[in-house]
Amino acid sequence: MMHLINSKVLALLSALMLGGLFCYIFQSYRLAADVIPESHEFYLLAPEHQQYEQPSILHGRTDVVTVTPWLAPVVWEGTFNPVLLDSIYKVKNITVTATVFAVGKYIMFLKNFLETAEQHFFVGFKVHIYVFTDRSNEVPQVRMATGRQLTVRSVPSSKRWQEISARRMELIQTLIEEQLPNHNDYIFCLDVDSKFHGRWGSESLGALVAVTHPGYYRDPRSRFPYERRPASKAYMASGEGDFYYCGGAFGGLLQEVHHLAKTCRSNFEADTQEGIEAAWQEESHLNRYMWINKPSKVLSPEYLWQDFKPKNPEVHIIRFSGVVKNYAEIRPNT
Ligand code: UDP
Ligand code: MN
């Protein structure tokens, strides 16, 4: 009996040792092979021999929150190394698409938007700007650097600004379906009545990217102008909501933004069927969407300020900002 147990224990022990040895060999083989992964798609691959300031997990911005409760980074000046990030994303050879709508009198904002985008928006990257307008012949000629291009798409004009603003989701959805077949490129959808003042680059890239609204980022959620009627598909109950996000800037991977645009469009249309229009049109639907589908990266209000707002101390740089405009003069309706 004793002898039997001993040989069983011995067999078990040898099996364990062999297993351990196998794991050890296999693991070191796997590690060696993984140092440089074969597919670059989802890796942040840094070029070798790059020198930059040592990162710290003890010291950094203390005046702002730089990570959400679901552990998405919140991008503020001073939280990232632009040179390092650019070198990581350059090798991926990505194209960054931007959509901008200039319908009716809003065409007047396009020149400044495009000229300042040349100076600040993904400089050094492949950029493709799609302008949606009903005034193609008034699209300004702006010199674009190599690797950057502009495409004009005609859209019908409208008698209601709410409709122009809200139809953007539908047009973004169809643009992605028709022009930008499924691959891992990025898109940002931006308001035209704005200008770039500082770098907006690879630090903003993520699967689903939202910008916190400059008007509400210091407020309790009870003051957020969410849609509050339960009848709307954009409904947000009291006690719900993380941040109030801008309708004037959002983005991410093509497939993610496609899903967002498609969902917001169909919810907006379902509301219309019920005779309801959300408080802030597509912005309300976007906020509802981001409440359920948490953004993987949140951009601070540096990424969409408003020119009339004095700069707050936590805002060290304004990258993109809405110009002051006379609504009565430029909108087709009040
Ligand atoms: N827009 C447009 N023509 C209009 C109204 C709106 O092209 O008559 C587009 C434009 O891109 C604009 C966006 O819809 O930036 C959102 O509207 P707006 O900027 O007026 O909204 P706000 O930022 O003032 O909330
Ligand atoms: Mn705007």
Side-chain angles (χ1 to χ4, degrees):
M1 190 63 182
M2 198 65 187
H3 176 79
L4 206 66
I5 289 173
N6 273 346
S7 68
K8 264 191 181 164
V9 168
L10 210 67
L12 194 71
L13 272 177
S14 351
L16 274 173
M17 273 170 67
L18 261 175
L21 192 69
F22 176 77
C23 281
Y24 176 76
I25 294 168
F26 180 72
Q27 179 70 9
S28 48
Y29 165 76
R30 213 176 61 82
L31 278 178
D34 275 0
V35 171
I36 297 175
E38 272 174 28
S39 160
H40 295 179
E41 220 71 82
F42 297 107
Y43 294 88
L44 297 183
L45 204 62
E48 279 189 74
H49 310 303
Q50 197 176 13
Q51 306 246 320
Y52 54 92
E53 200 187 336
Q54 182 187 349
S56 171
I57 57 163
L58 298 175
H59 305 289
R61 294 272 312 245
T62 52
D63 57 336
V64 287
V65 171
T66 60
V67 67
T68 67
W70 59 96
L71 298 180
V74 185
V75 183
W76 291 93
E77 177 70 355
T79 61
F80 62 90
N81 183 325
V83 178
L84 170 63
L85 277 165
D86 279 355
S87 67
I88 289 171
Y89 282 97
K90 277 277 171 60
V91 294
K92 289 174 180 275
N93 200 27
I94 53 166
T95 297
V96 179
T97 293
T99 61
V100 64
F101 289 74
V103 179
K105 291 187 182 157
Y106 278 60
I107 192 86
M108 66 185 275
F109 299 114
L110 191 57
K111 188 164 190 285
N112 263 326
F113 175 94
L114 293 173
E115 282 177 356
T116 57
E118 274 299 292
Q119 293 158 21
H120 302 292
F121 185 71
F122 283 94
V123 174
F125 282 80
K126 285 194 281 176
V127 170
H128 194 160
I129 300 182
Y130 283 89
V131 173
F132 293 80
T133 184
D134 56 341
R135 301 187 181 190
S136 311
N137 54 338
E138 290 177 45
V139 172
Q141 293 286 323
V142 172
R143 260 186 70 88
M144 295 177 87
T146 325
R148 301 171 76 94
Q149 57 172 318
L150 187 134
T151 300
V152 179
R153 300 196 80 171
S154 286
V155 293
S157 46
S158 171
K159 291 201 170 64
R160 290 183 70 240
W161 64 264
Q162 294 91 336
E163 191 181 291
I164 299 170
S165 194
R167 267 205 80 204
R168 289 188 289 179
M169 288 297 185
E170 174 195 340
L171 293 159
I172 291 162
Q173 180 197 336
T174 45
L175 173 78
I176 296 173
E177 285 166 8
E178 289 168 12
Q179 303 291 313
L180 310 165
N182 262 344
H183 54 90
N184 296 305
D185 269 345
Y186 297 89
I187 183 168
F188 285 96
C189 309
L190 305 169
D191 261 20
V192 74
D193 58 333
S194 1
K195 277 200 271 188
F196 292 89
H197 300 273
R199 174 195 163 99
W200 179 323
S202 54
E203 74 284 356
S204 67
L205 296 173
L208 183 62
V209 182
V211 183
T212 48
H213 196 293
Y216 300 96
Y217 74 97
R218 289 172 156 212
D219 289 343
R221 48 155 77 113
S222 59
R223 271 204 231 133
F224 293 168
Y226 290 142
E227 172 53 55
R228 300 296 188 182
R229 292 166 295 177
S232 168
K233 290 232 184 287
Y235 172 62
M236 294 285 288
S238 70
E240 291 184 351
D242 300 304
F243 308 107
Y244 189 74
Y245 301 112
C246 292
F250 57 90
L253 284 173
L254 288 170
Q255 68 227 46
E256 290 291 332
V257 175
H258 177 257
H259 190 255
L260 176 152
K262 194 174 165 186
T263 309
C264 290
R265 174 205 177 172
S266 88
N267 287 343
F268 186 89
E269 286 174 359
D271 273 10
T272 308
Q273 291 290 313
E274 298 296 315
I276 191 164
E277 185 176 271
W280 289 101
Q281 297 81 36
E282 84 294 356
E283 185 172 81
S284 306
H285 290 280
L286 175 110
N287 270 281
R288 167 77 203 169
Y289 185 90
M290 296 281 186
W291 165 239
I292 305 297
N293 306 269
K294 303 294 193 208
S296 63
K297 191 170 269 185
V298 173
L299 305 182
S300 71
E302 297 165 1
Y303 288 82
L304 187 41
W305 198 250
Q306 284 166 330
D307 281 356
F308 67 78
K309 261 178 87 71
K311 203 159 91 173
N312 288 335
E314 63 275 14
V315 176
H316 296 178
I317 175 178
I318 291 172
R319 305 171 189 282
F320 188 56
S321 179
V323 302
V324 177
K325 60 187 193 284
N326 181 343
Y327 284 104
E329 227 168 62
I330 52 160
R331 281 182 171 172
N333 61 314
T334 50

